Amino acid sequence: KAALEKIKSKSIPKSVSELDRDWKREVNDNTRYLLLKDIGLKSLKKIFKKDVPFDLLSDITRVLSIQLLFADDQNEDEGNNSDGDKKNKAKNSKFVGKLLVAMTKICNFQMYMFALTDDDYDIIAGMINKFKEDPNHGGLKQESFDKLVDKYSK
C-alpha cells in the first residue's frame, strides 16, 4: 500500500478503468468516499454510462452505506447538532442518493441487481430504508426518490 501512495494519480478519473485503478489505490473507506466527492456527480454519471465491474459497484455501494448520514442523525460525541453539521449531513445524504440513482444508469445494472449476494442486498435495502424513514428522503426530489426505490427493489 505504501508503494501505491507514491504512484497515486493526481488527476480526476474519467473512465471506469481509471476509477477502478484509483479506487484500489485508496487506503480506506473515508478516502474512497472523498475520491467519489472529488470526482463529482457530473463526472461519475458519465463514467457510469459504461459497463462497471460488479465488484467495484458493490464496494462503492458499501462505502456509500457507511458514509450515509441524514440531517436528523445525532452525533455520537454530542447530543446536539449544529446548523452547519445538519447542512453537511443533508448534502451528504443528497449526494449518496443522487449517486445511487446515477448507478442505475449503468448498462449492466439489472444484471448487477440479479447477481447481488444477500449481504450486498441487505446493505442496499438498509440504505433505501433510511431514505424512506427520512421525512425529506435525504433531500431527493420525489421523482428521484421513487426511481431509487423502484430500481433497488427486487
Side-chain angles (χ1 to χ4, degrees), residues 58-84:
S58 292
D59 207 34
I60 288 173
T61 304
R62 183 187 59 76
V63 168
L64 291 177
S65 74
I66 294 168
Q67 299 292 333
L68 182 59
L69 299 170
F70 290 90
D72 294 347
D73 290 347
Q74 291 295 316
N75 237 349
E76 285 132 24
D77 302 334
E78 309 162 12
N80 60 352
N81 281 334
S82 67
D83 285 342

Side-chain angles (χ1 to χ4, degrees), residues 19-36:
L19 173 60
D20 194 34
R21 175 201 65 207
D22 289 357
W23 187 263
K24 289 175 181 169
R25 288 180 179 168
E26 293 301 337
V27 292
N28 63 46
D29 293 339
N30 288 334
T31 56
R32 287 178 174 161
Y33 179 73
L34 292 175
L35 173 66
L36 295 174

Side-chain angles (χ1 to χ4, degrees), residues 1-71:
K1 289 280 184 183
L4 291 177
E5 261 316 294
K6 293 178 185 172
I7 59 171
K8 191 183 286 188
S9 174
K10 302 293 184 224
S11 64
I12 300 294
K14 293 185 180 8
S15 68
V16 173
S17 59
E18 289 176 5
L19 173 60
D20 194 34
R21 175 201 65 207
D22 289 357
W23 187 263
K24 289 175 181 169
R25 288 180 179 168
E26 293 301 337
V27 292
N28 63 46
D29 293 339
N30 288 334
T31 56
R32 287 178 174 161
Y33 179 73
L34 292 175
L35 173 66
L36 295 174
K37 295 282 283 186
D38 288 344
I39 295 169
L41 275 171
K42 188 175 181 180
S43 296
L44 285 167
K45 286 178 181 179
K46 288 179 185 174
I47 291 171
F48 287 155
K49 287 185 178 178
K50 308 284 186 215
D51 275 339
V52 179
F54 289 173
D55 62 332
L56 179 59
L57 279 181
S58 292
D59 207 34
I60 288 173
T61 304
R62 183 187 59 76
V63 168
L64 291 177
S65 74
I66 294 168
Q67 299 292 333
L68 182 59
L69 299 170
F70 290 90

Side-chain angles (χ1 to χ4, degrees), residues 92-140:
N92 167 288
S93 60
K94 192 171 186 177
F95 175 78
V96 170
K98 285 186 171 188
L99 187 50
L100 288 171
V101 171
M103 288 168 62
T104 65
K105 306 281 194 255
I106 297 168
C107 57
N108 59 346
F109 180 76
Q110 291 303 324
M111 185 61 75
Y112 166 70
M113 286 299 293
F114 179 76
L116 282 176
T117 65
D118 288 342
D119 290 341
D120 289 338
Y121 187 74
D122 288 346
I123 289 170
I124 290 173
M127 286 195 301
I128 300 303
N129 285 336
K130 285 183 180 180
F131 277 100
K132 285 179 180 177
E133 291 167 4
D134 184 61
N136 298 323
H137 302 308
L140 294 176

